[in-house]
Amino acid sequence: MERIILGIDPGTTIMGFGLIQVERDTMKLLQLNELQLSKYSNHHLKLSVIFNRTLELIDTYKPDELAIEAPFFGKNVQSMLKLGRAQGVAMAAGLSREIPITEYEPKKVKMAITGNGSASKEQVAKMLQQLLNIKELPKHFDATDGLAVAVCHFFNGGKSQKQQSYSGWDAFVKQNQDRIG
């Protein structure tokens, strides 16, 4: 059975993404790129661009699943809020098209790709380059980070017990009653 997985590394400066096509045990790279957001000064405009680009990717490639990196906990609350919003609008785009979404912690992604949860972005990129026969790596690691989430999802059989998965708005609301006020 063939399926397509969209992986996203959300960000408000650069959003990285990668798409893979999976047929049985074989992965094929479809797209590896990034969305440059630094040219937009307005945070709300950035969120709109993230939402629309994610919808465009979904409508173009028709992914069966969306895997997204969960925000890591940092010290800067404003940065965390902005990153959470970026993740939220990318998830909303997937949910609006009723695509199942799974979140992965950064350490889990690194572990799945390299076998080391503390691997560097360079190590993750090099491993992806070997796994998917990528001729030239992109300038920024955001694109390979997005691709890594898709590959992690594939390696995890499309599901992980400890990760959050949503098949649509109803499932999201049902699993997040504590977030609804």
Side-chain angles (χ1 to χ4, degrees), residues 4-152:
I4 295 174
I5 303 169
L6 168 59
I8 295 178
D9 176 31
T12 55
T13 305
I14 300 174
M15 178 184 92
F17 58 91
L19 283 128
I20 57 172
Q21 181 178 22
V22 175
E23 200 163 339
R24 290 189 210 111
D25 295 342
T26 307
M27 288 184 293
K28 176 181 157 193
L29 178 66
L30 295 178
Q31 171 77 274
L32 172 64
N33 213 332
E34 60 194 31
L35 177 60
Q36 287 287 338
L37 297 158
S38 55
K39 60 186 166 193
Y40 304 103
S41 58
N42 181 309
H43 182 67
H44 295 107
L45 180 58
K46 288 180 182 187
L47 296 176
S48 176
V49 171
I50 291 167
F51 183 83
N52 290 322
R53 180 62 174 132
T54 304
L55 278 182
E56 185 182 304
L57 288 167
I58 291 168
D59 292 343
T60 301
Y61 290 95
K62 310 279 189 251
D64 301 286
E65 299 157 66
L66 191 153
I68 192 162
E69 190 170 279
F72 59 91
F73 296 102
K75 291 180 178 150
N76 186 326
V77 176
Q78 278 303 104
S79 294
M80 286 293 302
L81 180 62
K82 288 179 180 179
L83 186 58
R85 287 176 176 167
Q87 183 201 32
V89 295
M91 290 173 69
L95 291 168
S96 75
R97 296 293 194 258
E98 297 184 355
I99 298 172
I101 299 170
T102 306
E103 294 178 73
Y104 291 95
E105 299 293 328
K107 279 187 174 284
K108 179 141 182 117
V109 173
K110 291 176 181 182
M111 179 63 91
I113 305 302
T114 68
N116 175 2
S118 299
S120 68
K121 290 179 177 286
E122 293 89 349
Q123 289 170 315
V124 171
K126 288 289 185 190
M127 185 59 80
L128 289 170
Q129 187 173 29
Q130 290 178 353
L131 284 169
L132 293 161
N133 197 24
I134 300 169
K135 303 278 183 255
E136 189 176 327
L137 288 172
K139 193 166 107 175
H140 301 106
F141 290 118
D142 302 88
T144 49
D145 286 352
L147 178 62
V149 181
V151 173
C152 171

